[in-house]
Amino acid sequence: MALVTTKDMFAKAYDGGYAVGAFNVNNMEIIQGICDAAGELRSPVILQVSKGARSYANHTYLTKLVEAAVAENPDIPIALHLDHGDSFELCKSCIDGGFTSVMIDASSKPFEENIALTKQVVEYAHAHGVVVEAELGTLAGIEDEVVVEAGQESYTRPEEVEEFVSRTGCDSLAIAIGTSHGAFKFKPEQCTMNEDGILVPPPLRFDVLEECTKRLPGFPIVLHGSSSVPQEFVKMINEYGGDMPGAIGVPEDQLRHAAELSVCKINIDSDIRLAMSAVIRKYLAENPGHFDPRQYLKPARQAVKDMVAHKMKNVLGSVDKI
């Protein structure tokens, strides 16, 4: 099976009450871990590349690694997606370079400018058989070169979504309902403490999601900034020399509920980074004489696989959905 677009993936996900995981990739081990999990669980998957990842690893290296993943998993639908494209030129380069899906993120621009840039990308992408994700509303937090200060985020306005989708022709829409980028999604003062002494962040704005769904029936919705920041990995990082106090993510049960509704794509990046970093820190602390990267990257790759498998089983609901 060659790389696919997300069109059929999302149609099946919408009807089936599950979401497809979009996992950010930066190197071979991450791609292997994600695709090994998808292959074993027979789950569709989206490998997404940010502008920063493309700069770090080089477009050609990343696309060739993804081609290898497709060859090793011929029965699994795999899409290659540009995450947070910030210009027509970047989106065009990825479309011309073999991506099957691109995101144009003009959410920080005024409404009319967002429409104009998104429409420009859509017209070029559709002419080349590529699908487009757009965004309305802005998420707080940091992801590569995307930085939105706390207090500057804005929820999606449901009354704008019909006009936006109609005028741009985009194929899916990322909305802002309370998720945020990075591992520090919420401040402790925003949270409440449960009976186990664990900080619980404010609930997602499902009213916004439900209103968008009413206005765009059958249309695939995307959630960015949807890592849950597993506390066992935060603890492990801190135990082995790290410094990540107050890292709090989105509860997985809320993401599962979103997947049962109209959310067809859920982005996960920080959780993979946390799992890899925690395992590497622990390995090097326990094996100070080791210097072969294969020695510590092997368990790191397994940590990625385990994390992705957990998300597919318990959050996305995408197992056996090919």
Side-chain angles (χ1 to χ4, degrees):
M1 183 184 295
L3 283 169
V4 301
T5 73
T6 56
K7 186 173 182 180
D8 288 341
M9 280 186 186
F10 290 168
K12 292 177 181 178
Y14 196 104
D15 291 340
Y18 64 92
V20 180
F23 301 94
N24 286 68
V25 300
N26 298 280
N27 62 16
M28 182 186 75
E29 286 77 15
I30 294 175
I31 292 172
Q32 287 176 325
I34 294 167
C35 292
D36 285 352
E40 288 186 12
L41 296 177
R42 295 176 56 79
S43 169
V45 69
I46 299 166
L47 303 178
Q48 60 183 25
V49 175
S50 67
K51 181 180 179 181
R54 198 165 175 261
S55 174
Y56 166 77
N58 180 286
H59 176 99
T60 303
Y61 279 108
L62 283 174
T63 54
K64 293 303 180 182
L65 286 169
V66 172
E67 287 177 15
V70 171
E72 290 294 314
N73 298 275
D75 299 324
I76 303 301
I78 300 174
L80 177 57
H81 175 74
L82 169 65
D83 188 28
H84 286 291
D86 61 359
S87 68
F88 173 79
E89 291 73 21
L90 175 58
C91 291
K92 180 180 182 298
S93 178
C94 289
I95 293 165
D96 294 343
F99 282 52
T100 57
S101 174
V102 296
M103 178 198 186
I104 178 63
D105 181 4
S107 60
S108 62
K109 300 180 183 298
F111 186 68
E112 289 295 331
E113 290 184 31
N114 190 349
I115 286 178
L117 180 52
T118 300
K119 184 178 180 180
Q120 183 185 17
V121 172
V122 167
E123 289 175 349
Y124 188 83
H126 285 183
H128 292 78
V130 173
V131 297
V132 178
E133 173 188 327
E135 182 167 352
L136 271 179
T138 54
L139 278 64
I142 300 172
E143 181 180 18
D144 285 354
E145 298 179 22
V146 180
V147 180
V148 177
E149 297 293 337
Q152 299 302 308
E153 71 275 18
S154 61
Y155 291 115
T156 299
R157 300 175 62 186
E159 62 270 21
E160 294 180 339
V161 298
E162 291 169 282
E163 179 183 359
F164 184 86
V165 170
S166 175
R167 290 176 61 187
T168 63
C170 65
D171 302 283
S172 60
L173 184 66
I175 66 172
I177 62 170
T179 58
S180 65
H181 293 127
F184 297 87
K185 300 182 185 299
F186 307 97
K187 295 180 179 180
E189 55 267 27
Q190 293 178 276
C191 305
T192 57
M193 188 170 292
N194 67 14
E195 57 186 16
D196 297 319
I198 298 173
L199 290 174
V200 179
L204 298 181
R205 288 288 303 275
F206 283 104
D207 58 321
V208 174
L209 172 59
E210 290 167 358
E211 185 60 29
C212 288
T213 301
K214 288 179 184 178
R215 293 170 180 266
L216 295 172
F219 193 80
I221 301 297
V222 175
L223 284 188
H224 284 245
S226 296
S227 284
S228 296
V229 189
Q231 292 303 297
E232 64 266 30
F233 291 118
V234 174
K235 181 180 179 181
M236 189 184 299
I237 287 172
N238 291 335
E239 285 179 353
Y240 291 96
D243 184 20
M244 295 189 66
I248 302 169
V250 182
E252 290 186 336
D253 60 336
Q254 293 192 41
L255 296 172
R256 182 70 196 103
H257 182 52
E260 293 169 345
L261 300 173
S262 57
V263 172
C264 297
K265 173 177 179 272
I266 293 180
N267 289 14
I268 299 168
D269 183 13
S270 294
D271 286 353
I272 288 176
R273 299 184 186 196
L274 288 166
M276 288 191 78
S277 296
V279 168
I280 289 171
R281 281 183 176 276
K282 183 175 186 292
Y283 183 93
L284 291 176
E286 294 177 346
N287 300 277
H290 289 187
F291 61 92
D292 184 343
R294 293 172 296 182
Q295 292 173 310
Y296 55 81
L297 288 176
K298 184 176 180 180
R301 179 175 58 194
Q302 183 64 46
V304 172
K305 179 181 177 180
D306 293 344
M307 174 63 69
V308 171
H310 166 76
K311 297 293 183 180
M312 289 175 170
K313 292 176 184 176
N314 302 302
V315 179
L316 303 165
S318 63
V319 174
D320 290 325
K321 301 297 186 182
I322 64 171

